[in-house]
Amino acid sequence: MRVEKGAKSRKQFYFFLAVESLQEGEIPTEVQSTLLKLSFFTSAIKGSPSLSYEQIKSMVGVAHDVYEYTNNIPYQPVHELTCDNPFDLIESVSINNSFINIDISRRYEQLLSWLSALGSGTWESFKKACAALKIEEPKRILRRLRLLGHIEFSPDGYRWSIAPIAIVKITSESNFQEFILCGSRSINLLEKLKQQTSLELINQPTGEAPPCVRIQAENPSIVPNLVEQLSKEFSIINAGEVSKLLASILPELTTWKQSLRNLQGIVPSLYEWELFDGNDFISCALPRETGMYRMYNTKISDRPLYTLFYENGCWLQGDWYGLRFLALQHSDQQCIARYEVETKRLAIPVSQRWPEIYERALVLASGILPKYSNSWLLYENVDRDMMLQICYKLHINCVWESTDV
């Protein structure tokens, strides 16, 4: 690229772009369909379809050298590397589920109401909202809200958006049905639901998430009628049994891995690295083997810039627990689960927590986040067939249990 001499001293100037091609004068299709569509190239030079090399040379000055045009300069998207990545977490420790902090729970309600009113924003705005409400660990909050179906986040971690209001079925008996409310939430909406349904607010374990809004109905037609009535004031959808629908369309683990965002332009020699060995992260030289790595630039911070899964020259970015699950599977560690048929409860080892999108199917089966029990995560109201379907896709060995175990 070259700019005409004296460009800084006037508003209009010539801008030259050299494109290397196999045949002189031929512009590659990918350049015509993308680069030349930009507004910079909409105005052609008047009175001349092209300029010769000698004409261009005199216009750009002595700094011009035709050979410089043929030096390949690989383009790499430049993103500021910060130590604050919404996808990077550390493993949670066991939590005492018997204590529910009501004050914290109310703050989460306020947070969800604020996010609903705003609609969308940046990761920075999300953190500022958490700070204003004195809610710690925004990365974990983000994950919980995603599991509960309230919010979505862009693959690059820069932006969030609130999910649309959805009524989700969680129980379907012949004479009894139960639903939960996902997505956007407001005081006005809850008041309308209270007037027209049997509504119950159920606190999440420890209260560290917005309460579950559960709707009970003996009449199967109540939800379609309710959605029709509320649609006049709110944008609301009847989503059906989302947990089962999600389980049916989720891909097998290898296919899911291929869908992860591949970060480009990483030069391993510029950073320090740690490799996950199945239990902890250990220092290593340059990444060579497949696995989960933490990437550091100690000149900036002692915290990792990214946690990534490396395979065949690709740097895959995803949720922290999902990357760890890939690493465990790659190391041939057996992943297990335990299921109680009578209670429809599923237990997963804390150290083998599932990738977020698969865990979301479990959470949306009840609208309640998992409880911690020693080294296990317990999920409620998990349908047997749904559980088997996901376990098959994740290559998990499920052990059947009875309630007296």
Side-chain angles (χ1 to χ4, degrees):
M1 294 179 291
R2 288 292 182 270
V3 176
E4 184 187 7
K5 288 187 295 184
K8 293 182 179 180
S9 61
R10 58 183 187 272
K11 293 183 179 180
Q12 294 187 347
F13 55 87
Y14 288 110
F15 171 80
F16 302 97
L17 175 71
V19 180
E20 184 178 10
S21 59
L22 296 177
Q23 186 173 346
E24 184 178 353
E26 181 182 88
I27 300 179
T29 303
E30 59 266 35
V31 177
Q32 295 187 48
S33 61
T34 55
L35 193 63
L36 296 188
K37 295 291 184 181
L38 297 174
S39 60
F40 306 108
F41 305 107
T42 55
S43 300
I45 299 175
K46 295 180 180 180
S48 176
S50 63
L51 294 174
S52 68
Y53 163 67
E54 291 301 326
Q55 288 176 299
I56 295 174
K57 184 176 180 180
S58 62
M59 294 174 73
V60 297
V62 295
H64 173 75
D65 187 344
V66 68
Y67 295 105
E68 291 180 20
Y69 281 148
T70 62
N71 290 339
N72 293 326
I73 305 176
Y75 172 74
Q76 297 173 355
V78 179
H79 298 297
E80 183 180 356
L81 293 179
T82 68
C83 301
D84 186 24
N85 190 313
F87 298 111
D88 285 341
L89 293 168
I90 58 174
E91 186 176 356
S92 296
V93 296
S94 297
I95 296 175
N96 181 4
N97 301 282
S98 60
F99 176 73
I100 296 177
N101 190 322
I102 301 300
D103 177 61
I104 291 293
S105 183
R106 287 173 182 162
R107 292 186 211 169
Y108 278 98
E109 287 188 80
Q110 292 176 315
L111 175 65
L112 181 55
S113 295
W114 181 86
L115 297 174
S116 301
L118 193 59
S120 63
T122 63
W123 170 232
E124 289 299 320
S125 69
F126 185 90
K127 290 191 299 178
K128 288 178 180 178
C130 293
L133 292 167
K134 298 181 180 179
I135 301 176
E136 299 178 350
E137 298 189 287
K139 296 176 185 179
R140 297 197 188 282
I141 298 166
L142 174 64
R143 192 177 197 277
R144 293 172 201 147
L145 292 177
R146 284 163 59 99
L147 289 175
L148 292 165
H150 293 309
I151 198 172
E152 295 296 340
F153 221 74
S154 62
D156 59 15
Y158 292 131
R159 296 194 64 83
W160 61 268
S161 61
I162 201 72
I165 306 169
I167 293 182
V168 176
K169 184 187 292 186
I170 61 171
T171 303
S172 181
E173 305 292 343
S174 57
N175 59 347
F176 176 76
Q177 291 188 344
E178 245 182 335
F179 305 85
I180 58 174
L181 188 67
C182 296
S184 178
R185 187 181 297 182
S186 67
I187 296 176
N188 193 17
L189 173 64
L190 295 182
E191 289 299 324
K192 289 292 179 72
L193 289 173
K194 287 179 182 178
Q195 294 171 9
Q196 303 181 47
T197 66
S198 174
L199 183 145
E200 181 183 9
L201 291 178
I202 303 173
N203 286 314
Q204 299 289 346
T206 73
E208 294 187 330
C212 171
V213 176
R214 191 166 291 183
I215 302 168
Q216 298 179 348
E218 295 182 2
N219 183 357
S221 66
I222 186 174
V223 170
N225 293 337
L226 181 62
V227 170
E228 184 178 354
Q229 294 174 24
L230 293 176
S231 61
K232 299 175 183 178
E233 186 174 353
F234 306 96
S235 177
I236 187 170
I237 59 175
N238 183 3
E241 294 187 82
V242 172
S243 60
K244 293 182 180 180
L245 292 172
L246 184 57
S248 66
I249 63 175
L250 284 172
E252 187 269 339
L253 185 64
T254 302
T255 305
W256 171 77
K257 179 177 66 175
Q258 294 170 351
S259 71
L260 296 178
R261 181 171 182 249
N262 181 15
L263 291 188
Q264 303 287 336
I266 293 179
V267 182
S269 60
L270 298 180
Y271 304 97
E272 294 81 43
W273 299 91
E274 288 182 343
L275 170 66
F276 181 69
D277 66 357
N279 295 300
D280 202 355
F281 285 90
I282 58 173
S283 297
C284 67
L286 296 181
R288 290 185 175 86
E289 60 182 281
T290 299
M292 180 182 182
Y293 290 85
R294 286 203 300 218
M295 167 181 155
Y296 291 84
N297 184 344
T298 53
K299 295 179 181 178
I300 298 177
S301 173
D302 57 356
R303 298 176 60 188
L305 295 171
Y306 286 107
T307 302
L308 304 167
F309 187 84
Y310 175 75
E311 184 176 41
N312 298 327
C314 294
W315 298 98
L316 305 181
Q317 184 183 38
D319 71 283
W320 194 92
Y321 293 108
L323 298 184
R324 183 183 64 176
F325 191 86
L326 285 177
L328 294 174
Q329 290 270 344
H330 179 76
S331 62
D332 295 327
Q333 183 169 332
Q334 186 182 44
C335 294
I336 63 172
R338 301 169 78 169
Y339 185 72
E340 281 185 347
V341 180
E342 296 88 344
T343 63
K344 298 175 69 173
R345 294 197 307 172
L346 179 69
I348 298 172
V350 171
S351 61
Q352 297 179 3
R353 193 163 193 164
W354 293 0
E356 182 187 296
I357 190 62
Y358 297 88
E359 186 180 5
R360 189 186 298 194
L362 302 181
V363 172
L364 291 178
S366 65
I368 302 295
L369 293 169
K371 294 180 180 179
Y372 285 79
S373 178
N374 296 322
S375 59
W376 295 85
L377 294 167
L378 301 180
Y379 299 85
E380 305 290 338
N381 195 43
V382 178
D383 180 78
R384 171 185 172 276
D385 292 338
M386 182 192 79
M387 178 273 302
L388 289 174
Q389 199 171 30
I390 301 180
C391 285
Y392 175 77
K393 293 178 179 180
L394 293 181
H395 315 147
I396 291 172
N397 180 31
C398 186
V399 179
W400 299 84
E401 302 283 356
S402 59
T403 52
D404 59 354
V405 175

